Amino acid sequence: MAVSMAAAAGRLRRAIRRSPPWGSSSRRPFSSEPPPAQATIVRDAFLNFFRDRHGHRLVPSASVRPRGDPSLLFVNAGMNQFKPIFLGTVNPRSEMAGFRRVANSQKCVRAGGRHSDLEDVGRDLSHHTFFEMLGNWAFGGEYFKEEACSMAWELLTQVYGIPQDRLWVSYFGGDPKAGLDPDLESRDIWLRLGVPASHVLSFGPQENFWEMGDTGPCGPCTEIHYDLAGRVGAPQLVELWNLVFIQHNSAIHQGCRAPPYLGRVGAADEGRTDMAYRVVADHIRTLSVCIADGVYPGMSGAPLVLRRILRRAVRFSTEVLRAPPGFLGSLVPIVVETLGDAYPELQKNSAQITNLVSEDEAAFLASLQRGRRIIDRTLRRLGPSELFPAEVAWSLSLSGNLGLPLDLLELMLEEKGVQLDSAGLARLAQEEAQHGSRQAEPIQKQGLQLNVHALGELQRRGVPPTDDSPKYSYSLRPSGGYEFSTCEAQVLQLYAEDGTAVASVGKGQRCGLLLDKTNFYAEQGGQASDRGYLVRVGQEDVLFPVARAQVCGGFILHEAVAPEGLKVGDQVQLHVDEAWRLGCMEKHTATHLLSWALRQALGPGTEQRGSCLSPEQLRFDVATQAPLTPEQLRAVEGTVQDAVGQDEPVYMEDVALACTARVPGLRSLDEVYPDPVRVVSVGVPVARALDPASRAALQTSVELCCGTHLLRTGAIGDLVIVAERQLTKGTTRLLAVTGEQAQQAREVGQSLAQEVEAATERLSRGSQDVVAAQRLSKDMGRLIDAVDTAVMPQWQRRELQAALKVLQRRANTALRKLELGQATQKTQELLQRHSQGPLIVDTVAAESLSVLVKVVRQLCERVPGTSVLLLSPQPLGRVLCACQVTPSATPAFTAEAWALAVCSHMGGKAWGSQVVAQGTGTTADLEAALSTARAYALDQL
């Protein structure tokens, strides 16, 4: 029997893995089969069955275009739209958060990506790039294996009428290597449902273990197959149903290429594999919790510590565990699932945490690879017992492009048996601390400066102003990405930190570099300075990090730290931080479009009062007579979106300043411009834009500007104004984001708008239940807080705030009416037991303190001269307390003291006035609390 079952299992395994041989002569001819059911009939029967017989909610198919899921090209499974539930990232206020029993028919496209049937289409009758997937889903423990299997069997055999002897099932047989037990529970359920044991077979993880991805939710699955052969020859199986039971979550191990975790430490932990597991597990928890609480990886204080933690995790995951790029970000949902119930902020911020971790991970991977090469080159130059140079370590750690944490660098050197020059490192750290303390002093402008004497000396020597035209040397690749040229230059002058001109600088010295030319953009015109690094020509393995560039009297001064010696006359090559520069370009071009859009919405006389932009966001100050209305804000965004959607070219050209005079619509600020001056025109060549007869500058954005800009507007992606406030009378400050941040802001706004719409519907339906009304009022308050603080379109925020203000007033009015009605009922019940004073102490069932206070007030009104204290028991031993003292008994007897005496007895607290007070406590002995209340009142009275 065992042999025959094993053989059958082998045949089934092969049958399941291959496509069914539709053309085989062993299958019954088509003429003997009943006509195939139309898709509509099959779909409707499925959905009606789960809705009508088993209480499932029908939800519409999601779009085949994934929303907010960059891991997919197309929606390729019914579970895609429910991924936020599986990953624990669902917004707790969203409609999806309330899903329990759900059924759907999902449009699916499998072409490209991990699951692609494109190459198999046409080779058989079962592969398609488009198909519909029917599914039933149970969330929040609504039901599990027993019910799911029973429902599937009932539908297939009773509704669709499929003969039971044509159905086979498979279940997960376990995986000893992964430590996973067989799913015997599913096997026993099928046997109880009447499936013959010969048709219930087990398979391994390839066939019967479902995983959403390389990491994340996973679990055994059991499949139902239909035998096309119909007992004629060998089974010819086609899968009908896959029931997935998510009861595991992949360990870090499944997402990397390292041996499994064995818990080893010290010398026994060969290759430090187990150490890496522990580091990654610990660090991803720390990162997730800190980011959820608003601490982000940064450059100083706690953010710097978090940055070091993230980079250590990246290094251990990639170099020791051999995990693929994006691995760390994929672990965030596991942390959310594990800790999210205890710390709801993890669930609320899950998407933001994942994005931040993934972005920093991607940015650091390239730095880690380059840093590894620099370390290896340096080690090749060292003697057998030489220390690793502190200056090289400092350069690696402080460079804007690399930023290896020093503790990680020490660990990497330790693995190679090399020691770091700790004394030299301490010296450099001390110098950095001294520099930081000087920077903290309240001075007008931080950083190195060229004073009037230094500038005069340069002019006396005939040193020409810095040629910074290479900052405009960049181009668009065919792929749409930007290519930034490097720049070779000569060191003309070096400056010590105090501004003194020097001929050379030593290792670790902070200095200013004056070059004959540069591709760095120096901070001006509201645009942040470039950052990056330079190397000496012929010595590319030593980086000189450049933190800032600024204009000083026509000269561009670069602030850098010298990891090795540098002298006047050296030839250097400059590299800008490309991601930083591109972010500034996007924001600067977006600022021009925003300025143009504001003039369109508010009138041609609208004046810019200032701007400030960096890769993160842009700030724009504009002269206004009154705050912008939601309609104006929306119109401004729409104008920008039109220009972005058209992907218009951006033209830039240096022209004589005189050519820009008297051009209608040309925007310039109240400042002195160079001659020639740079003109930036969107969609119209500069020559045409400057032709007064064309009036082109009235139809598009044309400005005098020395900043760096995109070459086409489409790279902006989108622009959303996320904040607006009155800076001073007549000046409004706008904050805006672009690209992916803008898209996320719109999605947040749309989600909140849907929640407001759902709240409106709930309020319109009304409620006779105080608990439901209280829940609605609290939900309204939470929704108001969410709208007030979310990063979303400002016009939409203003509209939702106005709507919520009305809704909250209506909700509170409805709640007060219900509470008054309930209080009146409770008062009547108590009056039947207490018809006269001067003291009433009792318990009453009340849904809230608000209701309890109303009952106390009504009792005092109905029985004048009476002092009343009521306790209301709540779940988990919690007790509410409310009391009112007749005015004639005060001040000797006060409500606040009475409530405090009783609530203190229950280990709680109380608050109020001489006449009315309330409080809470916890006790299992209500009678003792009532006795305390009576004794205290009688003693005072």
Side-chain angles (χ1 to χ4, degrees):
M1 181 66 178
V3 174
S4 63
M5 286 297 293
R11 290 194 299 271
L12 254 184
R13 188 186 303 272
R14 290 190 294 272
I16 291 174
R17 286 180 177 172
R18 68 174 182 258
S19 300
W22 294 92
S24 171
S25 59
S26 63
R27 187 177 60 82
R28 292 181 180 177
F30 280 113
S31 58
S32 65
E33 295 284 342
Q38 295 179 358
T40 301
I41 298 174
V42 175
R43 184 193 312 112
D44 289 349
F46 181 94
L47 297 176
N48 292 339
F49 170 81
F50 282 102
R51 180 190 61 195
D52 300 339
R53 293 197 189 186
H54 297 287
H56 286 62
R57 174 180 180 174
L58 303 187
V59 298
S61 169
S63 167
V64 295
R65 176 183 177 272
R67 183 178 180 185
D69 189 350
S71 66
L72 295 174
L73 294 175
F74 302 98
V75 165
N76 58 22
M79 56 73 60
N80 290 161
Q81 69 168 306
F82 306 118
K83 280 178 71 173
I85 299 179
F86 295 131
L87 295 176
T89 61
V90 64
N91 188 323
R93 298 185 301 273
S94 68
E95 182 183 27
M96 186 180 290
F99 286 176
R100 292 299 177 264
R101 295 184 177 217
V102 172
N104 69 332
S105 175
Q106 174 63 49
K107 301 173 291 185
C108 298
V109 172
R110 289 192 174 177
R114 182 180 179 183
H115 301 285
S116 177
D117 290 338
L118 185 60
E119 299 302 322
D120 293 318
V121 173
R123 298 177 184 271
D124 54 38
L125 299 179
S126 62
H127 286 90
H128 311 274
T129 54
F130 171 79
F131 61 95
E132 294 178 70
M133 185 178 287
L134 303 173
N136 61 297
W137 314 85
F139 304 117
E142 186 69 15
Y143 61 79
F144 203 45
K145 297 181 182 180
E146 183 83 42
E147 298 89 341
C149 293
S150 299
M151 292 175 191
W153 195 252
E154 178 186 0
L155 175 63
L156 293 177
T157 60
Q158 297 182 24
V159 177
Y160 290 141
I162 299 176
Q164 295 188 17
D165 61 357
R166 301 286 291 273
L167 297 176
W168 295 65
V169 298
S170 62
Y171 68 94
F172 180 55
D175 185 0
K177 293 182 180 178
L180 298 173
D181 295 328
D183 184 17
L184 301 181
E185 182 183 359
S186 292
R187 179 200 65 181
D188 295 342
I189 290 171
W190 290 121
L191 294 175
R192 287 197 300 272
L193 287 172
V195 181
S198 60
H199 282 209
V200 182
L201 301 176
S202 68
F203 293 123
Q206 184 172 347
E207 295 87 1
N208 281 98
F209 194 86
W210 178 88
E211 297 173 287
M212 193 170 77
D214 292 332
T215 62
C218 55
C221 62
T222 181
E223 296 177 341
I224 306 174
H225 302 268
Y226 179 74
D227 181 9
L228 294 170
R231 302 181 302 279
V232 179
Q236 298 176 12
L237 302 177
V238 60
E239 180 187 336
L240 283 183
W241 206 309
N242 188 351
L243 293 93
V244 176
F245 307 118
I246 299 176
Q247 60 190 63
H248 301 293
N249 219 314
S250 302
I252 294 173
H253 168 59
Q254 297 192 17
C256 60
R257 295 185 291 274
Y261 178 71
L262 299 176
R264 299 167 301 183
V265 295
D269 183 13
E270 186 177 351
R272 298 190 176 185
T273 301
D274 290 351
M275 174 185 175
Y277 275 114
R278 292 188 289 269
V279 167
V280 172
D282 170 83
H283 287 10
I284 194 62
R285 285 194 297 265
T286 302
L287 286 163
S288 299
V289 171
C290 289
I291 294 173
D293 282 352
V295 182
Y296 308 118
M299 295 304 295
S300 63
L304 177 59
V305 175
L306 204 63
R307 184 169 180 247
R308 291 167 52 194
I309 289 173
L310 189 146
R311 298 193 165 197
R312 288 185 84 250
V314 172
R315 191 261 166 172
F316 273 101
S317 65
T318 56
E319 296 199 348
V320 182
L321 298 180
R322 304 193 302 281
F327 174 67
L328 279 185
S330 71
L331 296 179
V332 172
I334 303 173
V335 178
V336 173
E337 180 183 3
T338 305
L339 302 176
D341 289 341
Y343 307 106
E345 60 272 15
L346 283 170
Q347 297 175 343
K348 179 181 178 183
N349 299 294
S350 177
Q352 180 191 28
I353 298 168
T354 302
N355 290 339
L356 277 173
V357 170
S358 298
E359 288 173 6
D360 270 39
E361 178 183 10
F364 183 57
L365 278 175
S367 300
L368 183 63
Q369 293 167 0
R370 178 159 193 158
R372 171 65 74 185
R373 291 195 299 269
I374 293 174
I375 291 171
D376 290 342
R377 289 173 187 165
T378 305
L379 291 177
R380 286 196 295 269
R381 298 204 305 263
L382 294 181
S385 59
E386 284 189 74
L387 299 176
F388 191 86
E391 291 78 12
V392 176
W394 196 252
S395 173
L396 289 172
S397 70
L398 291 182
S399 169
N401 271 29
L402 300 186
L404 270 70
L406 287 172
D407 57 346
L408 176 58
L409 179 60
E410 287 188 85
L411 184 63
M412 295 166 71
L413 293 175
E414 180 186 328
E415 292 173 355
K416 293 182 175 292
V418 178
Q419 284 189 317
L420 179 62
D421 180 5
S422 301
L425 200 62
R427 173 180 54 80
L428 293 175
Q430 184 178 11
E431 292 175 2
E432 172 68 15
Q434 291 172 349
H435 174 77
S437 64
R438 287 196 296 270
Q439 276 196 324
E441 296 173 3
I443 55 178
Q444 281 298 103
K445 202 167 185 180
Q446 295 180 347
L448 288 167
Q449 295 286 321
L450 296 184
N451 59 30
V452 64
H453 303 292
L455 292 172
E457 176 62 19
L458 291 171
Q459 292 166 359
R460 185 189 66 78
R461 289 164 46 194
V463 178
T466 308
D467 174 12
D468 64 347
S469 59
K471 68 187 178 186
Y472 300 125
S473 180
Y474 52 89
S475 58
L476 267 174
R477 298 190 183 99
S479 63
Y482 279 79
E483 183 172 3
F484 295 90
S485 300
T486 58
C487 174
E488 290 200 5
Q490 184 179 28
V491 179
L492 299 181
Q493 185 63 63
L494 292 166
Y495 294 91
E497 197 167 357
D498 61 1
T500 303
V502 295
S504 64
V505 292
K507 296 180 180 181
Q509 187 173 346
R510 187 180 298 274
C511 61
L513 291 88
L514 189 62
L515 310 173
D516 61 340
K517 56 185 174 181
T518 182
N519 60 348
F520 274 61
Y521 182 85
E523 182 176 346
Q524 56 186 316
Q527 179 176 332
S529 162
D530 276 339
R531 63 187 192 186
Y533 64 96
L534 59 86
V535 296
R536 276 190 303 222
V537 174
Q539 194 179 7
E540 283 75 17
D541 57 346
V542 178
L543 306 185
F544 292 73
V546 178
R548 182 184 180 195
Q550 57 177 311
V551 181
C552 300
F555 299 97
I556 306 297
L557 190 66
H558 304 75
E559 295 183 27
V561 175
E564 292 191 2
L566 190 69
K567 63 182 184 299
V568 172
D570 282 348
Q571 295 289 324
V572 296
Q573 187 180 69
L574 295 97
H575 301 253
V576 298
D577 183 329
E578 296 183 2
W580 178 272
R581 163 69 79 84
L582 184 58
C584 289
M585 288 163 55
E586 290 175 359
K587 296 299 187 297
H588 207 151
T589 304
T591 300
H592 281 213
L593 293 179
L594 177 60
S595 178
W596 156 249
L598 284 165
R599 296 201 304 278
Q600 292 294 102
L602 305 180
T606 303
E607 295 182 4
Q608 176 181 339
R609 291 287 173 83
S611 67
C612 183
L613 61 99
S614 69
E616 287 77 28
Q617 67 176 18
L618 67 86
R619 189 189 76 205
F620 192 90
D621 298 341
V622 59
T624 56
Q625 298 299 319
L628 276 70
T629 66
E631 293 76 17
Q632 289 172 327
L633 289 168
R634 192 171 189 176
V636 167
E637 285 185 8
T639 301
V640 175
Q641 281 182 302
D642 288 343
V644 171
Q646 293 170 17
D647 193 23
E648 295 184 299
V650 180
Y651 299 95
M652 290 164 277
E653 187 177 329
D654 290 334
V655 302
L657 185 60
C659 295
T660 66
R662 296 184 297 279
V663 176
L666 177 67
R667 198 194 70 83
S668 61
L669 298 178
D670 185 18
E671 55 186 57
V672 177
Y673 287 96
D675 192 1
V677 66
R678 194 167 182 82
V679 178
V680 179
S681 174
V682 176
V684 177
V686 171
R688 182 181 162 211
L690 296 182
D691 181 359
S694 74
R695 303 182 68 82
L698 293 172
Q699 309 301 320
T700 188
S701 169
V702 183
E703 298 194 20
L704 305 182
C705 179
C706 66
T708 57
H709 287 268
L710 296 171
L711 301 178
R712 302 195 72 89
T713 60
I716 296 171
D718 193 3
L719 179 140
V720 170
I721 299 171
V722 296
E724 167 229 13
R725 68 183 179 92
Q726 290 298 112
L727 195 61
T728 59
K729 187 175 181 179
T731 302
T732 297
R733 170 162 291 177
L734 304 176
L735 294 181
V737 293
T738 61
E740 182 64 26
Q741 289 176 296
Q743 186 59 38
Q744 291 174 356
R746 291 200 189 281
E747 291 179 0
V748 168
Q750 184 61 28
S751 176
L752 289 172
Q754 292 172 354
E755 292 187 46
V756 172
E757 185 178 348
T760 304
E761 184 179 346
R762 286 171 61 190
L763 187 60
S764 299
R765 289 198 300 264
S767 175
Q768 301 302 315
D769 179 27
V770 171
V771 175
Q774 289 173 338
R775 187 181 304 116
L776 177 59
S777 181
K778 289 180 180 178
D779 289 346
M780 208 76 73
R782 284 193 290 267
L783 193 52
I784 289 172
D785 290 340
V787 169
D788 287 346
T789 59
V791 178
M792 63 181 293
Q794 181 69 7
W795 65 264
Q796 194 172 31
R797 187 197 320 276
R798 297 258 296 273
E799 288 185 352
L800 295 182
Q801 285 172 332
L804 284 168
K805 185 176 181 180
V806 175
L807 290 176
Q808 189 178 44
R809 189 182 304 117
R810 288 175 53 195
N812 291 341
T813 299
L815 177 60
R816 281 195 297 271
K817 288 182 178 179
L818 288 172
E819 287 181 342
L820 282 171
Q822 188 181 79
T824 300
Q825 178 185 349
K826 302 295 182 183
T827 300
Q828 288 298 119
E829 296 173 0
L830 288 167
L831 285 173
Q832 293 176 5
R833 302 199 297 269
H834 306 279
S835 58
Q836 59 185 8
L839 182 66
I840 297 178
V841 176
D842 208 339
T843 63
V844 64
E847 307 294 349
S848 66
L849 265 175
S850 178
V851 172
L852 194 62
V853 169
K854 288 179 174 63
V855 176
V856 169
R857 184 181 300 119
Q858 290 187 18
L859 279 173
C860 290
E861 291 172 353
R862 298 288 294 274
V863 188
T866 300
S867 296
V868 178
L869 184 144
L870 298 179
L871 300 179
S872 178
Q874 304 293 308
L876 303 177
R878 187 165 174 263
V879 178
L880 305 180
C881 172
C883 64
Q884 184 170 327
V885 171
T886 181
S888 61
T890 60
F893 180 30
T894 68
E896 185 177 21
W898 194 13
L900 183 60
V902 176
C903 292
S904 297
H905 173 81
M906 298 188 295
K909 58 183 180 179
W911 59 93
S913 64
Q914 288 189 353
V915 178
V916 179
Q918 53 193 291
T920 61
T922 303
T923 183
D925 190 353
L926 274 178
E927 284 302 322
L930 291 173
S931 298
T932 299
R934 293 189 188 97
Y936 182 90
L938 292 174
D939 181 63
Q940 298 298 313
L941 289 172

